[in-house]
Amino acid sequence: MSESALARIRIVLVEPAGPLNVGSVARVMKNMGLSQLVLVNPQCDRQDEWAIKMAVHGADILEAAQIVNELPQALVGCQRAIATTGRSRSLPTDLETPRVALPWLLETPSALIFGREDRGLSNDELNYAQRFVQIPASPEYPSLNLAQSVAVCAAELYQQATGLAEDNTNNPSPFISATSSIPTASLEELEGYYQQLERLLLEIGYLYPHTAPRRLEKFRRLYNRAQLSTQEVAMLRGILTQMEWALSQGAGVGDTL
C-alpha cells in the first residue's frame, strides 16, 4: 500500500445539508491525502462562504467536487463500496469497525459513503454498498456528526495506506482482503445483474412487487459475500438471458432438455 492508493477512493456524501460540514470534510480529506469528493443531491452550496472558510487549504477539493443527482451515479467506475451507518437493520448485517473494513477499499477504485446529517442513509441507499462500517463510540452518546465521521474514517485510511496502522490479523474480516489476480466486478456490472434478476423473478412469480425490495436485499448480501468477478457476473447474466428467451418462447423445462 502507498499514499497513491488513497487517490482511488471517493468520499461520497449523500444530501449533505450543512456548508460547515461539507467544508470540514474537504479539509480533513486534504489532511489525509484524499482528493475525490462526490456530493449526491447536496442541500447546500459547496461554494458557500462558510464551506470555503472551513475547508481552509482543502478549498481545491470543494472546487473539484463532483455533483450528481443519485447515489448510483456517484459509484460509476468503482468496484467496491462501503457505507457508514449508526444503526442496525431489519436484515442481519455485519457491522464492522473502520480498522477492519476500510483497508479493503485501498486495493481498487472504491467509494466510502456517508449519509445525511439527521438520518443517515436509507435502506435503499445502503443496498448499493457491499460492506457496512459503524464507528465504535460510547453507548451513552454514540452519534457523531458528518465531518467527525469522515475524519475518523479518513484517518484510518491514511494510516492503513501508509503502513502506520496496527496489524489486523487478530481481528480478521469475513471478506477476502488480499489483492486477487482476478478483478472483481464493478458496481455497475453488479447493479445491472440485480436489475435483470429482479425483472425475471417478478415475471416468473418468485417475487411480488410489494416484497421484492426486501427479498432482493438478501440476494445482494449473498452475491456481495461471493465477491463475483466480471466473468462470473457475465455467466450469471447469460443464464438469466437464456431463461428470459425460453419464457418468451413459451418453453417449459422439458422443452429445453
Side-chain angles (χ1 to χ4, degrees):
M1 295 297 179
S2 67
E3 290 189 47
S4 62
L6 295 168
R8 297 198 295 259
I9 296 179
R10 298 177 192 175
I11 299 297
V12 178
L13 308 184
V14 176
E15 296 191 348
L20 292 173
N21 267 330
V22 173
S24 297
V25 166
R27 175 175 181 167
V28 78
M29 288 177 62
K30 192 76 169 184
N31 293 147
M32 300 301 165
L34 297 160
S35 57
Q36 293 192 60
L37 176 61
V38 184
L39 307 178
V40 179
N41 190 26
Q43 305 299 295
C44 63
D45 181 5
R46 62 175 169 161
Q47 293 299 313
D48 179 271
E49 175 186 0
W50 285 105
I52 295 172
K53 284 183 178 180
M54 293 303 294
V56 192
H57 295 294
D60 59 322
I61 293 177
L62 278 182
E63 178 67 29
Q66 181 183 4
I67 297 178
V68 298
N69 294 323
E70 298 179 340
L71 181 55
Q73 294 173 285
L75 304 178
V76 171
C78 293
Q79 290 183 291
R80 298 177 181 179
I82 290 178
T84 58
T85 180
R87 59 189 175 87
S88 54
R89 307 176 64 204
S90 55
L91 289 174
T93 302
D94 292 326
L95 298 181
E96 302 175 85
T97 65
R99 178 147 300 182
V100 170
L102 296 187
W104 185 66
L105 297 179
L106 294 166
E107 300 169 359
T108 191
S110 301
L112 181 56
I113 309 167
F114 295 84
R116 303 160 187 82
E117 289 96 329
D118 58 345
R119 63 185 187 278
L121 296 164
S122 69
N123 280 359
D124 286 343
E125 290 161 345
L126 287 168
N127 281 332
Y128 289 103
Q130 298 151 302
R131 297 173 72 173
F132 307 93
V133 158
Q134 185 176 53
I135 298 172
S138 169
E140 294 183 8
Y141 189 43
S143 179
L144 282 72
N145 88 350
L146 175 60
Q148 291 170 336
S149 298
V150 175
V152 170
C153 292
E156 188 62 50
L157 283 167
Y158 181 79
Q159 291 179 73
Q160 295 286 350
T162 57
L164 297 175
E166 296 176 3
D167 188 11
N168 281 331
T169 54
N170 292 327
N171 192 10
S173 165
F175 284 74
I176 299 172
S177 56
T179 303
S180 171
S181 59
I182 302 176
T184 55
S186 70
L187 297 180
E188 301 103 283
E189 290 169 331
L190 288 171
E191 194 59 35
Y193 171 68
Y194 295 141
Q195 291 177 11
Q196 185 180 9
L197 178 64
E198 181 177 9
R199 288 195 303 269
L200 180 60
L201 295 182
L202 284 167
E203 183 177 353
I204 66 175
Y206 180 82
L207 293 180
Y208 298 96
H210 65 287
T211 60
R214 184 64 57 85
R215 297 297 296 272
L216 260 294
E217 284 183 2
K218 296 181 179 179
F219 281 106
R220 286 174 181 268
R221 300 288 174 269
L222 170 65
Y223 287 119
N224 284 342
R225 287 197 302 271
Q227 291 289 282
L228 297 172
S229 69
T230 294
Q231 292 81 2
E232 289 166 337
V233 170
M235 178 185 69
L236 290 171
R237 294 203 68 171
I239 294 171
L240 297 185
T241 299
Q242 185 66 22
M243 293 171 67
E244 290 169 338
W245 177 85
L247 286 171
S248 71
Q249 301 301 307
V253 174
D255 298 326
T256 60
L257 295 178

